[in-house]
């Protein structure tokens, strides 16, 4: 079984000149994924990434030429993870997407499936947020931490071995520590996975995620290995071309 997993190869790797170009390419790929989903199923279930990297992608999606090409009226938004902070906190992944994209496009509240991670009743929130996910996401957009984490699946976390839940509460190694994250099953089951990772701080994580011995307990981003990876020259500098 392990041998098979070492044979997993990315669907495609884009190596771009810089962060801006990587974000523009990611925007175009998201448009394409949305068109396929709408054509085949009449809906686009889009799971957003947190962190700072995708901010420019969300800004690009909110304006022409991208914004005119996506059927926002039948797009549903989810999050791969959320910090346990209020939605108006600068640390909130929801706020990142709201400020950069959601507040600029015509979407209804019932299309935005925010994880209400600020609510102290975590069991209620986990159940509520998990029940909102579709059977299969059309697109899982992920970032990459310097340590190889993705979403809030950190190296060595118990969450990496959870199979019977869609979301779990974890304590991350960096503030804000308490976070709610998808489990690996949600990555495995997504129709499309896009990983956007740029800059020299990601070099080691990119190399380990794409070419390292299969070891997702220490390199959680390997769960996304089969996806489309959008890199720049810096983050891709150690992988075999
Ligand atoms: C989060 C993200 C996380 C992020 C990476 C990379 O909530 O922080 O889900 O997985 O994608 O930590 O963060 P940057 O994009 O800021 O480098």
């Amino acid at each position: 079984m392990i041998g098979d997993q070492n044979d997993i190869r990315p669907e495609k790797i884009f190596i771009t000149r810089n962060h801006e170009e990587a974000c523009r390419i990611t925007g175009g790929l998201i448009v394409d994924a949305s068109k396929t989903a709408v054509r085949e199923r009449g809906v686009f279930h889009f799971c957003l990434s947190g962190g700072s990297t995708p901010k420019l992608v969300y800004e690009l999606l909110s304006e022409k030429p991208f914004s005119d090409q996506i059927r926002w009226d039948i797009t549903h938004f989810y999050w791969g993870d959320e910090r346990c902070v209020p939605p108006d906190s600068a640390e909130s992944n929801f706020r990142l997407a709201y400020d950069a994209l959601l507040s600029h496009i015509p979407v209804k509240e019932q299309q935005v499936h925010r994880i209400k991670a600020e609510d102290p009743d975590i069991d209620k929130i986990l159940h509520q947020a998990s029940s909102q996910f579709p059977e299969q996401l059309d697109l899982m957009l992920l970032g990459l931490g310097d340590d190889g984490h993705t979403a809030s699946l950190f190296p060595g976390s118990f969450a990496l071995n959870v199979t019977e839940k869609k979301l779990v509460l974890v304590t991350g190694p960096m503030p804000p520590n308490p976070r709610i994250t998808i489990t690996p099953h949600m990555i495995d089951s997504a129709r499309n996975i896009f990983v956007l990772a740029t800059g020299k701080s990601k070099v080691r994580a990119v190399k380990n995620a794409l070419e390292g011995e299969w070891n997702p307990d220490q390199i959680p981003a390997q769960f996304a290995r089969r996806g489309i990876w959008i890199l720049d020259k810096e983050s891709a500098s150690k992988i075999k071309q």
Side-chain angles (χ1 to χ4, degrees):
M1 186 56 190
I2 289 290
D4 295 346
Q5 289 161 323
N6 273 311
D7 295 340
I8 297 171
R9 290 286 172 268
E11 180 181 337
K12 187 167 179 60
I13 299 175
F14 288 88
I15 300 178
T16 67
R17 287 168 299 181
N18 52 46
H19 177 69
E20 198 271 341
E21 185 182 42
C23 291
R24 197 162 289 286
I25 285 181
T26 303
L29 291 169
I30 292 169
V31 167
D32 294 346
S34 75
K35 286 179 178 173
T36 300
V38 167
R39 186 178 61 249
E40 292 177 359
R41 288 171 297 279
V43 66
F44 179 40
H45 292 295
F46 180 12
C47 189
L48 302 177
S49 167
S52 58
T53 301
K55 182 169 183 286
L56 179 54
V57 176
Y58 300 154
E59 291 167 344
L60 291 170
L61 290 176
S62 74
E63 52 198 38
K64 295 181 192 301
F66 297 118
S67 60
D68 292 354
Q69 299 181 61
I70 297 181
R71 283 284 311 275
W72 296 122
D73 60 319
I74 46 179
T75 296
H76 284 256
F77 295 91
Y78 310 84
W79 276 262
D81 68 332
E82 184 55 275
R83 292 84 174 278
C84 294
V85 296
D88 60 355
S89 161
E91 300 282 358
S92 162
N93 288 334
F94 164 81
R95 177 163 172 198
L96 170 85
Y98 182 81
D99 289 350
L101 175 59
L102 299 177
S103 57
H104 303 282
I105 57 175
V107 288
K108 296 187 175 71
E109 196 176 333
Q110 57 264 38
Q111 294 172 250
V112 179
H113 308 283
R114 181 175 81 83
I115 302 174
K116 299 179 175 66
E118 73 280 8
D119 189 318
D121 185 346
I122 286 295
D123 288 341
K124 179 186 77 176
I125 294 313
L126 289 174
H127 175 73
Q128 185 185 62
S130 300
S131 65
Q132 293 188 352
F133 277 104
E135 263 320 293
Q136 196 171 16
L137 289 162
D138 294 301
L139 174 57
M140 170 77 75
L141 177 63
L142 292 170
L144 177 67
D146 300 358
D147 62 355
H149 80 259
T150 193
S152 282
L153 293 167
F154 293 97
S157 170
F158 78 94
L160 297 164
N161 299 296
V162 171
T163 53
E164 74 288 351
K165 292 178 183 165
K166 293 180 178 178
L167 293 168
V168 289
L169 173 69
V170 298
T171 302
M174 74 275 281
N177 299 75
R179 299 157 176 243
I180 290 177
T181 185
I182 50 169
T183 54
H185 156 71
M186 296 296 284
I187 301 174
D188 281 347
S189 62
R191 283 193 177 85
N192 294 286
I193 301 167
F194 296 167
V195 181
L196 173 61
T198 58
K200 54 179 173 303
S201 74
K202 313 287 183 184
V203 170
R204 188 168 53 85
V206 164
K207 172 79 174 173
N208 291 339
L210 291 177
E211 298 175 355
E213 202 54 31
W214 184 255
N215 183 13
D217 193 62
Q218 290 310 312
I219 314 157
Q222 287 184 340
F223 282 117
R225 183 181 277 185
R226 70 175 169 91
I228 294 179
W229 288 61
I230 306 100
L231 310 172
D232 66 5
K233 281 189 303 196
E234 287 187 330
S235 64
S237 60
K238 290 265 189 282
I239 60 170
K240 295 190 225 48
Q241 306 293 319

